[in-house]
Amino acid sequence: MTTKTSKINAADTAAVTKEIEDMVASGRKSLQDAFINGTETAEKAFKSNSETFKTNYEKVVSEGKSGFEKAIKSLEGSQFYDKNNAESFVKASNTAVEKSEKIGAAMIDFGTGQLQEAFNVARSIAETDDVTKAVEIQTEYARSAVQNYMSECGKFNSLMTDAAKSVMEPFSAQYANSIDMFSKHA
């Protein structure tokens, strides 16, 4: 092989290498743009759907309260209606609705926040050109997601415990009154 042939082959190799690198960079950029656009579209759809869900949830809770109140009023004229028992039941039911509404709202907020964070991470990963940085972002997201989940489990546990105590409270007073009456007659 001559020196002239070596120089031509080296020039051809460099040109081909440059052309391949340009194609890879262009392809990577196109994929990043497509992924980011897809993420943005999914995020917009999610926000729209979550707002609709929240609105419908609030409407269902409101209609449920209204229906319950109507049902209680319709029972007031019944021969089986006992005002003391009914008041405890109404208080407990209203408390249950109030607490479940609070728990439901907290769950919706948590789910919405987690998905928003997932969209942010997806966008960050798509925008990075460094694989090591992408792995770091994903690792941090996984760690953070587990910590948030555990924290929220504790909050939901507290909300559920509070709800159970609050719902049973009207019956506790009624139970204590019944025990007092029974003790007096015994």
Side-chain angles (χ1 to χ4, degrees):
M1 189 174 341
T2 65
T3 306
K4 186 176 182 182
T5 306
S6 299
K7 288 181 183 178
I8 291 173
N9 285 339
D12 288 343
T13 304
V16 169
T17 300
K18 175 71 172 132
E19 191 174 318
I20 291 172
E21 288 173 350
D22 290 345
M23 286 188 322
V24 168
S26 175
R28 181 178 54 224
K29 180 67 177 150
S30 294
L31 286 173
Q32 284 176 325
D33 290 345
F35 188 78
I36 290 169
N37 289 336
T39 301
E40 289 172 356
T41 301
E43 187 175 10
K44 287 177 186 174
F46 169 74
K47 284 181 180 178
S48 173
N49 289 336
S50 66
E51 289 302 317
T52 300
F53 179 78
K54 285 179 184 179
T55 301
N56 289 338
Y57 175 77
E58 290 167 0
K59 183 178 176 182
V60 166
V61 168
S62 175
E63 289 174 359
K65 285 179 185 178
S66 175
F68 179 74
E69 290 169 2
K70 288 177 185 176
I72 292 299
K73 285 183 181 181
S74 70
L75 290 175
E76 286 179 358
S78 170
Q79 66 184 13
F80 301 108
Y81 183 78
D82 177 6
K83 186 174 181 174
N84 292 332
N85 289 336
E87 284 179 5
S88 296
F89 181 71
V90 169
K91 285 179 185 177
S93 298
N94 285 335
T95 300
V97 168
E98 176 187 314
K99 297 295 183 176
S100 65
E101 186 177 1
K102 187 175 181 180
I103 292 167
M107 292 176 88
I108 290 169
D109 289 344
F110 175 68
T112 302
Q114 289 299 103
L115 281 171
Q116 183 61 52
E117 183 62 24
F119 287 128
N120 293 342
V121 168
R123 187 177 299 110
S124 295
I125 290 172
E127 290 172 348
T128 188
D129 292 332
D130 183 15
V131 174
T132 304
K133 180 68 175 167
V135 170
E136 287 174 8
I137 292 169
Q138 179 61 32
T139 302
E140 176 59 27
Y141 169 70
R143 184 192 59 74
S144 174
V146 169
Q147 286 178 342
N148 288 340
Y149 177 77
M150 296 307 293
S151 173
E152 287 298 311
C153 282
K155 290 177 187 176
F156 288 130
N157 185 32
S158 295
L159 288 172
M160 294 296 280
T161 302
D162 178 55
K165 286 178 183 177
S166 298
V167 167
M168 294 309 293
E169 190 174 304
F171 296 115
S172 297
Q174 184 180 5
Y175 178 73
N177 288 338
S178 296
I179 292 296
D180 286 344
M181 284 180 22
F182 180 75
S183 297
K184 289 177 185 176
H185 293 300

